[in-house]
Amino acid sequence: DLQLPHMSRALPATRLRWPVAERSARRVRRCPLMTMTAATPQRPPAELATRFVFSYGSNSAAQLEGRLGPLAAPPRAATLRGWRRVFTGHSETWGGGVASLCRATERCVVQGTATALTDAQLSTLDGYEAAYAKETVRVELADERGGECECLECIVYISLDPSWQGPPSEMYIAAIHGMLREVSADPLQAVSVCAARASLPAAARKGEAAVPVVERGRWAHPGDWSNLGLPALLVELNLAAHGGMRGFGGVHAERVAAALFGGHAGPPRAAPQDLLQIEGALHAMGLATTEELRAALRRENGDRHRRQLEEVFSGHELAWLRRALRATEPGE
């Protein structure tokens, strides 16, 4: 089998690999991306956000706001019973398989978030999810005070073809991990990488019966951002700027993000498109890996990269990267 970085110890014999070379050259745009300067738009009134969407893939609050504008309210932790998260198809922009859902036994659950959207935001999201069909499901919302769960009807996007075509990229699965961290009590939980079996009964193909799946591995966050590939690191930066690092360990992310970003971060960038533009700009500087970026951050005071990095990242983003990658000089 292929190897996947940072696999859970629960599956030592099953590994998946994502070589850097398999990322399409079309994903790397060799042009600088200017930093954000626009003022943050106003949040819509809560009474207009009446359409709830269940997110189980990369649609964190940061990603949704980068695509749709400010949300009326933060997402809530949600559980969908009787389904499994699987990976299907191949996304050129994400560089690998993407998440979908398939029916399973009632004991199976999918953890995710429920987010309230306005009609206009839902219409915009439909455009991003054009390859998916919309269904309505009932999810359970946890009572933060320990009471009974509340049931809520949500829209969910599901791929019409659940067949496995390859593993997700590290960038994409890091985005899923970030979505779960926004609401999770266990921020270091692993993400299971499952695939629907190649031969499906007719009823399963129509979504009318449980689909047999096989677990191909589990991805666990390394806890140290210097061990992430460059695209996955940019996902983490976008989440940190948006405050999506709740409860996460690593290098004291919650404290670092709050201290560095506070109320000055601005709106999140649209993922993955804006993040791939940043990756392309870094590649054009000769920075193709996280370690090369870390080295450039350490020497930028007297280096030709300084002005280029300031064109790509905001001052707050550069400060976060230095701290997250431990790229500060002694005494800073």
Side-chain angles (χ1 to χ4, degrees):
D1 284 18
L2 303 171
Q3 285 191 353
L4 182 152
H6 314 304
M7 295 289 291
S8 167
R9 296 176 185 172
L11 294 172
T14 310
R15 299 181 65 83
L16 304 170
R17 183 197 305 278
W18 301 315
V20 173
E22 79 176 1
R23 292 203 301 271
S24 169
R26 287 184 303 227
R27 296 179 60 223
V28 179
R29 307 179 193 177
R30 297 189 176 275
C31 60
L33 180 69
M34 299 303 292
T35 54
M36 299 171 292
T37 57
T40 304
Q42 295 296 312
R43 297 193 180 279
E47 59 268 21
L48 296 182
T50 59
R51 311 295 295 275
F52 286 86
V53 170
F54 177 69
S55 298
Y56 58 89
S58 64
N59 275 329
S60 62
Q63 181 165 299
L64 288 172
E65 291 207 340
R67 294 176 170 185
L68 311 178
L71 301 174
R76 294 183 60 184
T79 300
L80 176 63
R81 298 191 180 277
W83 295 78
R84 290 285 297 270
R85 182 191 294 109
V86 296
F87 290 85
T88 180
H90 180 88
S91 167
E92 287 293 332
T93 52
W94 283 110
V98 288
S100 184
L101 295 174
C102 64
R103 293 191 182 275
T105 60
E106 191 61 27
R107 63 184 176 85
C108 295
V109 298
V110 178
Q111 302 296 337
T113 62
T115 307
L117 303 180
T118 65
D119 287 337
Q121 288 175 325
L122 182 62
S123 179
T124 301
L125 186 59
D126 286 346
Y128 283 97
E129 307 291 354
Y132 286 67
K134 279 199 297 190
E135 291 195 24
T136 301
V137 295
R138 291 183 67 81
V139 302
E140 297 176 4
L141 303 180
D143 188 327
E144 297 179 352
R145 294 169 294 184
E148 291 186 3
C149 292
E150 172 189 353
C151 289
L152 179 69
E153 197 170 83
C154 286
I155 293 166
V156 69
Y157 294 92
I158 299 176
S159 173
L160 297 173
D161 179 10
S163 60
W164 169 272
Q165 294 186 32
S169 66
E170 185 189 35
M171 182 187 195
Y172 184 74
I173 205 163
I176 295 178
H177 196 271
M179 178 275 298
L180 293 171
R181 289 205 311 269
E182 288 182 329
V183 295
S184 176
D186 178 16
L188 291 178
Q189 64 180 299
V191 177
S192 179
V193 179
C194 294
R197 293 189 183 276
S199 179
L200 299 178
R205 287 198 300 270
K206 296 177 182 178
E208 298 170 353
V211 175
V213 301
V214 57
E215 188 174 55
R216 293 179 176 259
R218 305 185 77 186
W219 187 86
H221 196 289
D224 184 336
W225 291 300
S226 62
N227 291 329
L228 289 171
L230 186 58
L233 175 69
L234 296 176
V235 168
E236 295 288 353
L237 172 63
N238 207 36
L239 286 163
H242 190 261
M245 313 303 291
R246 170 182 167 187
F248 189 63
V251 287
H252 309 292
E254 186 176 11
R255 177 177 57 80
V256 170
L260 294 180
F261 291 104
H264 310 287
R269 302 179 189 265
Q273 292 83 356
D274 285 359
L275 304 185
L276 293 177
Q277 288 188 41
I278 296 175
E279 185 190 8
L282 294 174
H283 275 239
M285 297 178 213
L287 308 177
T289 67
T290 298
E291 182 53 37
E292 289 172 347
L293 174 60
R294 178 179 181 272
L297 289 166
R298 285 187 65 90
R299 63 175 185 265
E300 66 172 354
N301 287 337
D303 190 84
R304 61 185 173 85
H305 287 137
R306 179 180 181 182
R307 182 172 297 178
Q308 293 173 307
L309 289 171
E310 289 175 348
E311 291 178 349
V312 173
F313 299 109
S314 72
H316 295 289
E317 289 173 329
L318 285 171
W320 184 89
L321 285 167
R322 291 190 195 98
R323 294 284 292 276
L325 298 179
R326 301 187 179 101
T328 53
E329 297 293 346
E332 289 189 76

